[in-house]
Amino acid sequence: MNFELPPLPYPKDALEPHVSSRTLDFHYDRHHRGYLEKLRSLVEGTPEAQLELADLVTRSDGAVFESAAQVWNHTFYWNSMTPDGGGEPVGRLGEAVRESFGSFEQFCASFVACAVGHFGSGWIWLTLDPATGALGVESSKDAANPLLTDRVPLLTLDVWEHAYYLDYQNERKRYAESFLADLVNWRFAEENFEKAL
Ligand code: FE2
C-alpha cells in the first residue's frame, strides 16, 4: 500500500492566528486522515493500491478518485502555506506573475475574487500553462484538481468550509486575503514553477 498520511510541514499552532491549531486538529487529523483511510479501504488488495497517488488521481473515478484527489489536494495545500508566509514571489515566478496578471496586486485581486466567486466546496489554484508559460487563477469543484488538465498546479487554497469556518465563519474573502498576506508559501510555488519549465 503506497498511501500514507504525510506529516504536517509545521506544528499545528504555527499558522496562528491566521489558521488556528483547532482548525488543523479537525482539518488534518479528521478530514485529511479521513480521506486517506477511506482511500485505503477502497483500494486495499487491488492493483490501484500500488500506484503513485498522483497517477491514481488521473486514472480513477467515483469514490476512489474523490478520496485520492482529496488526499493529494490537502497535502498540496499544507505545503502552500508556511509560518511567516506572504510577501511576493521573486525571480522567474515573480516575473511570470507580473506578466500574466499585470501586477502582483492584480494577481491577488484575481485570486480573492475567484475564491469569493466559487460556489460551494472546492479549491482555488494558481496554475501554469507549460505550453505558453502563462499563469492563471482557476477554481475546481469538490475534489477536482489541475492534474486532470494540461496545467500545472503551483499553489492551492482549500475553500471547503471546514478549512476556514472555525476561524473566519462564513467570511471566505477574509480567509483568502489572510492566506495571501500571511501564509502563502511562495518558495513552494517557485519550486513547482521551476520543475515544470
Ligand atoms: Fe479541506
Side-chain angles (χ1 to χ4, degrees), residues 102-149:
S103 67
F104 177 71
E105 289 71 25
Q106 283 176 282
F107 154 73
C108 290
S110 297
F111 193 91
V112 171
C114 188
V116 171
H118 180 80
F119 181 78
S121 296
W123 301 83
I124 311 303
W125 305 87
L126 173 64
T127 59
L128 165 70
D129 180 343
T132 64
L135 304 183
V137 167
E138 58 191 285
S139 67
S140 63
K141 280 196 83 63
D142 299 332
N145 69 37
L147 298 182
L148 308 176
T149 74

Side-chain angles (χ1 to χ4, degrees), residues 89-105:
V90 296
R92 294 205 289 180
L93 178 59
E95 282 171 30
V97 165
R98 288 187 290 276
E99 277 175 23
S100 298
F101 297 97
S103 67
F104 177 71
E105 289 71 25

Side-chain angles (χ1 to χ4, degrees), residues 145-159:
N145 69 37
L147 298 182
L148 308 176
T149 74
D150 55 3
R151 294 176 300 285
V152 177
L154 305 180
L155 279 178
T156 196
L157 176 69
D158 187 343
V159 293

Side-chain angles (χ1 to χ4, degrees), residues 27 31-32 35 70 74 77-78 123 158-160 162-163:
H27 201 177
H31 292 281
H32 196 183
Y35 292 123
Q70 283 295 77
H74 279 91
Y77 170 60
W78 306 137
W123 301 83
D158 187 343
V159 293
W160 286 60
H162 65 224

Side-chain angles (χ1 to χ4, degrees), residues 178-196:
S178 181
F179 171 81
L180 291 175
D182 305 306
L183 297 173
V184 65
N185 185 354
W186 284 115
R187 187 161 301 193
F188 177 64
E190 286 158 15
E191 287 168 10
N192 293 323
F193 182 73
E194 294 294 334
K195 265 189 277 178

